[in-house]
Amino acid sequence: MVALSSPACMRAKKTKAVGIPVVDLSVDKSVVSELIVKACEEYGIFKVINHGIPWEVTSRLEAEGVRSFGKPPGVKQRAVPATPFGYELASEVLGLVAEGLWIPDKHVFSRQIRDVQSDSVLRFNHYPAVNNQDPSSKACKEDQIGFGEHSDPQILTVLRSNNVAGLEICLHDGFWIPVRPDPTQFYVIIRDALRVLTNDRFVSARHMALANLSRNSRMSMMYFGAPPLTGTISPLPQFVSPQKPRLYRAFTWGEYKKAAYSTRLGDFRLDLFKLRPSDDILDLLS
Ligand SMILES: O=C(O)CCC(=O)C(=O)O
Ligand SMILES: [Fe+2]
């Protein structure tokens, strides 16, 4: 399946040489948690190293993914129930996020994905190798989009790809930067629900994947950490003040998921849940 981009992303893309933050999980917790918070505020994405996930686990899962796809052409996606891949790492990162934000309840975020009813999934994307195309061709990049511009709706993503490039991230200032593939490490991407919980203190990075321009196929796997369908997503009191009024009404993950599936990939779905100055906050909270 090819996920087409919305017209909004057909504008010219700018790129700049900026590195994505790297977080070493083996160093002192207070240092790591501070770095993670900074990365979530400024980029909405970071790379984790020294994560403790054995290489055999990742490569076995990738081999399963490759087997499950077969060979027909086109970008394909396959979602399966979340396995331990990504789950432990996501929980650890969310604990560190709470610590870095000085929230006394260290499980305030990780609880959302640890619930037995959690709606988390594991997804494989496959971008087949290109055999008949000159990879250096000057074709417009927008014609080569494999997975269009979007932000992910859940809490956070743990992404790992093989050694073939394709993922790009949009920074605050509208610059797009390529995310260098690193099969031994993981990227963590902040998603819309975590952005809402922090009342926009964190950014949910818009990203896309280019169609494969390489002679090797690209395989990415992503753990999407999500709350249960009935789980409430609402700015936490710590992030709301007279200076920073509440930006969103409370909604359930089920509601947001429905909105995500009934809008186009590139739409800014959070706008549907934004409070307007005329909204009566007391009505919305009751
Ligand atoms: O395949 C990739 O690298 C990214 C795909 C993606 O953003 C998604 O599946 O949500
Ligand atoms: Fe995504």
Side-chain angles (χ1 to χ4, degrees), residues 58-192:
T58 320
S59 51
R60 198 173 341 116
L61 198 57
E62 182 181 2
E64 273 173 37
V66 170
R67 255 198 312 280
S68 79
F69 273 115
K71 294 191 183 70
V75 176
K76 299 195 120 208
Q77 305 163 33
R78 193 146 295 167
V80 295
T83 67
F85 161 81
Y87 168 74
E88 293 297 338
L89 186 55
S91 300
E92 183 180 354
V93 165
L94 288 173
L96 288 163
V97 166
E99 195 166 324
L101 289 167
W102 296 88
I103 298 179
D105 176 3
K106 295 286 167 278
H107 305 294
V108 68
F109 301 117
S110 59
R111 194 179 294 122
Q112 300 259 3
I113 63 166
R114 282 183 167 275
D115 194 297
V116 283
Q117 303 289 337
S118 151
D119 193 37
S120 301
V121 288
L122 182 66
R123 182 195 281 169
F124 293 95
N125 288 346
H126 179 231
Y127 306 82
V130 175
N131 295 317
N132 302 320
Q133 198 174 330
D134 174 6
S136 63
S137 91
K138 290 210 170 56
C140 174
K141 223 181 194 183
E142 279 74 23
D143 291 339
Q144 302 166 352
I145 289 170
F147 203 115
E149 173 183 344
H150 65 285
S151 64
D152 294 327
Q154 295 93 338
I155 301 269
L156 107 180
T157 302
V158 176
L159 179 146
R160 182 265 183 197
S161 80
N162 65 356
N163 213 4
V164 177
L167 182 63
E168 299 211 341
I169 284 278
C170 185
L171 301 181
H172 259 343
D173 49 14
F175 279 100
W176 283 85
I177 58 168
V179 177
R180 189 190 290 246
D182 185 345
T184 63
Q185 312 298 346
F186 297 89
Y187 285 97
V188 172
I189 306 179
I190 302 309
R191 317 198 81 176
D192 292 344

Side-chain angles (χ1 to χ4, degrees), residues 204-253:
S204 47
R206 287 181 77 76
H207 55 280
M208 64 176 171
L210 298 182
N212 199 351
L213 300 179
S214 161
R215 299 192 197 284
N216 299 316
S217 66
R218 175 163 187 265
M219 170 74 81
S220 58
M221 49 194 192
M222 285 137 298
Y223 164 81
F224 294 148
L229 287 172
T230 52
T232 303
I233 299 166
S234 176
L236 297 173
Q238 289 90 338
F239 301 98
V240 179
S241 67
Q243 293 73 36
K244 187 78 209 273
R246 181 190 176 84
L247 295 171
Y248 302 93
R249 70 169 177 85
F251 52 90
T252 63
W253 163 241

